[in-house]
Amino acid sequence: MSSIAIIDYGMGNLRSVAKALEQVAPNVRVIVTQNRADILHADRVVFPGQGSIRDCMRELAHWNLTDVVREAALNKPFLGLCLGPQALLTFSEENGGVDCLNVLPGRVVWFGELRDPRTGERLKVPHMGWNQVHQKSSHPLWQGIAQDSRFYFVHSYYLQSAEPSLVVGHTWYGFDFASAIARDNIFAVQFHPEKSAQAGLRLLANFADWSP
Amino acid sequence: MGLAKRIIPCLDVDRGRVVKGVKFVEIRDAGDPVEIARRYDQQGADEITFLDITASSDDRETMVHVVEQVASQVFIPLTVGGGIRTLGDVRRMLNAGADKVSINTAAIARPEFVREAAERFGNQCIVVAIDAKAVHQDGETPRWEIFTHGGRKPTGIDAVEWARRMNAYGAGEILLTSMDRDGTKRGFNLELTRAISEAVTIPVIASGGVGTLDHLAEGILLGKADAVLAASIFHFAEYTIEQAKRHMQARGIEVRL
């Protein structure tokens, strides 16, 4: 039986992620864990996160998981969710500036004061609700998901990849930002597939089957 | 292309059972929160809000189980309101699978609670619920005040000022109910909704008074709300969520279909 470890480092509720994976992959063992060995031995790893990036980096260090996350991100199917992909980049503007894991090159930037350039209307931050993800390139995790499908987002900071080739999905909120980035065995999304109904469940099912 | 405006059905839950007679065709158990949430999900609801109206705090634990059950089977965002008074209450609901909690009277009793909850759990999961009523006379400059206890008890707090303050304290969203409209089916108080929505930088959910699909569209187009919440027009099967979305789309509103 293959296994998926969801890294539990105290940043947000992981129950929904686990339940959604159990629903789409009944033959996979899903474990929510902060145990280093569990994470390193799992076939696949999910790196979720909610809250602020400073707390995220601090909690990873507190649970002695920083190097484990880096290692898993280098050698096995690895799915980052919401704050997860932000933590994978080099640096975040949040909390006055925080150094992140630097697994992928890029920065995390605040949305700030946004206006819709078409209408001049103010755009609310956090960017909250269902927005479209435009698939920039084909990827096994997009399989069976219609182009421009909607996913559920809630965030105030966005991913700014240093390498445009890493961006596999983008979303428009006053401008186009990277909503999905990928490289080799890593796939990381700004939205919440576990809260994105059918499209989200399909993405999680694809991850459970993914052999990069 | 862009962010969709949301439609959120709201369910009142008393001791673990949905009340106010939800009517679906061929539903096995009209009081079962899981079954009803699943129906709304299938119809395309963008989120679901549960309002715990359980009077006795002894029975509050039931709501935790309701949230656990629903969150295990319905994969869209869930918000829980009613009786959220401590950081422990917030944590319990989030751990059970709620994505957001809605804080109302506890914020009025102690505004710092909102700041503490947002710092601890993140702004994204803290919704501040505002129940407001017009207190101006005809011809005067519009003014709205916060009321508690189902609209019976005035607080003297100006609703627009309060919304700004809760925004500054770290609320991620405002759930605004116009108490003069709640249950009237005369539509949202659009002037109030717009005043609040323009005063804050965070999303605003309009609530209170929806009787027709046009009311939903007006909440967005004229009230400038980011989402609309309704109960009875969906519960009594007057309209499905999908019909509401098609109607909004026909009026030029971006929705998830």
Side-chain angles (χ1 to χ4, degrees):
Chain A
M1 194 182 210
S2 80
S3 63
I4 300 178
I6 303 171
I7 303 176
D8 180 9
Y9 56 110
M11 294 299 287
N13 161 54
L14 310 178
R15 187 188 163 84
S16 302
V17 181
K19 290 289 171 191
L21 279 166
E22 283 166 8
Q23 169 114 352
V24 298
N27 297 320
V28 171
R29 195 161 61 95
V30 177
I31 35 179
V32 176
T33 180
Q34 49 201 220
N35 180 293
R36 293 168 58 90
D38 281 350
I39 296 165
L40 291 171
H41 291 139
D43 297 301
R44 295 181 172 76
V45 168
V46 176
F47 180 43
Q50 260 178 34
S52 80
I53 195 74
R54 180 187 54 208
D55 293 349
C56 168
M57 298 308 294
R58 192 185 56 209
E59 289 302 304
L60 278 179
H62 172 79
W63 294 104
N64 195 22
L65 290 172
T66 311
D67 61 325
V68 174
V69 171
R70 275 208 186 90
E71 192 175 331
L74 286 178
N75 63 27
K76 61 180 84 187
F78 187 95
L79 179 64
L81 305 178
C82 194
L83 196 61
Q86 299 191 3
L88 292 179
L89 298 191
T90 313
F91 176 82
S92 172
E93 272 187 3
E94 195 180 357
N95 305 124
V98 174
D99 286 328
C100 302
L101 295 167
N102 198 24
V103 170
L104 300 172
R107 295 166 63 85
V108 181
V109 182
W110 187 46
F111 271 125
E113 305 277 324
L114 273 184
R115 281 189 187 275
D116 184 334
R118 303 166 304 190
T119 61
E121 287 209 18
R122 200 160 46 102
L123 296 171
K124 301 292 185 70
V125 177
H127 170 230
M128 185 186 288
W130 297 79
N131 206 337
Q132 290 171 294
V133 175
H134 189 79
Q135 300 163 19
K136 247 187 73 187
S137 45
S138 66
H139 191 284
L141 265 69
W142 291 140
Q143 202 188 343
I145 299 172
Q147 179 62 289
D148 297 323
S149 288
R150 288 184 187 274
F151 291 86
Y152 188 79
F153 287 82
V154 49
H155 61 122
S156 302
Y157 291 79
Y158 64 94
L159 308 168
Q160 213 175 52
S161 169
E163 284 175 28
S165 63
L166 299 185
V167 179
V168 291
H170 58 73
T171 294
W172 192 89
Y173 197 52
F175 63 97
D176 278 323
F177 69 89
S179 48
I181 54 177
R183 189 183 70 195
D184 307 328
N185 58 307
I186 301 173
F187 195 87
V189 294
Q190 181 62 68
F191 50 85
H192 288 269
E194 79 281 11
K195 289 290 168 178
S196 295
Q198 289 313 311
L201 292 176
R202 181 61 200 253
L203 191 143
L204 293 174
N206 290 342
F207 175 68
D209 282 341
W210 186 32
S211 301
Chain B
M1 179 157 181
L3 185 64
K5 300 295 181 182
R6 290 167 281 156
I7 296 189
I8 307 172
C10 177
L11 297 165
D12 285 359
V13 180
D14 186 6
R15 284 166 291 170
R17 303 281 296 166
V18 174
V19 294
K20 288 194 186 169
V22 175
K23 287 183 189 161
F24 281 115
V25 186
E26 288 174 8
I27 195 161
R28 279 171 303 167
D29 177 356
D32 177 12
V34 177
E35 192 163 353
I36 295 165
R38 207 187 280 127
R39 292 296 182 101
Y40 280 134
D41 175 26
Q42 285 163 1
Q43 286 185 11
D46 295 310
E47 299 183 18
I48 296 174
T49 289
F50 291 102
L51 185 61
D52 185 9
I53 58 165
T54 307
S56 154
S57 53
D58 297 345
D59 293 325
R60 287 268 148 116
E61 199 55 26
T62 316
M63 195 63 202
V64 174
H65 301 304
V66 167
V67 174
E68 280 175 359
Q69 290 292 314
V70 174
S72 305
Q73 299 178 49
V74 178
F75 299 102
I76 58 175
L78 306 174
T79 302
V80 180
I84 307 288
R85 295 197 162 78
T86 65
L87 293 177
D89 294 335
V90 180
R91 178 181 300 112
R92 242 187 325 280
M93 284 306 173
L94 297 180
N95 283 345
D99 298 280
K100 310 182 220 181
V101 294
S102 160
I103 301 172
N104 190 341
T105 38
I108 293 162
R110 202 173 68 81
E112 285 295 323
F113 174 49
V114 170
R115 199 197 296 272
E116 290 161 13
E119 270 173 19
R120 179 77 66 87
F121 304 105
N123 315 46
Q124 82 287 338
C125 62
I126 305 300
V127 181
V128 171
I130 297 180
D131 294 345
K133 245 192 224 187
V135 290
H136 55 273
Q137 303 296 318
D138 284 345
E140 288 180 359
T141 312
R143 210 176 74 78
W144 301 275
E145 195 175 310
I146 310 256
F147 280 70
T148 58
H149 297 81
R152 294 189 308 276
K153 201 174 153 197
T155 62
I157 302 169
D158 180 82
V160 177
E161 279 310 308
W162 179 249
R164 271 202 199 99
R165 186 170 170 203
M166 291 297 99
N167 187 168
Y169 278 27
E173 194 171 35
I174 301 277
L175 168 56
L176 173 68
T177 303
S178 31
M179 297 302 285
D180 347 58
R181 297 300 180 94
D182 210 20
T184 65
K185 295 192 169 272
R186 287 168 51 222
F188 300 117
N189 182 331
L190 297 172
E191 208 179 7
L192 165 67
T193 306
R194 183 168 186 146
I196 300 273
S197 190
E198 289 181 343
V200 298
T201 60
I202 53 181
V204 172
I205 306 166
S207 155
V210 175
T212 69
L213 298 184
D214 265 328
H215 290 155
L216 295 174
E218 284 160 8
I220 304 285
L221 296 171
L222 304 174
K224 302 287 172 197
D226 302 281
V228 286
L229 179 141
S232 56
I233 64 159
F234 298 130
H235 298 338
F236 301 134
E238 290 168 44
Y239 304 102
T240 64
I241 306 268
E242 193 188 337
Q243 284 172 320
K245 287 190 165 180
R246 298 234 175 256
H247 186 84
M248 284 166 66
Q249 190 180 47
R251 293 203 53 182
I253 298 167
E254 183 139 10
V255 292
R256 174 179 74 109
L257 276 168

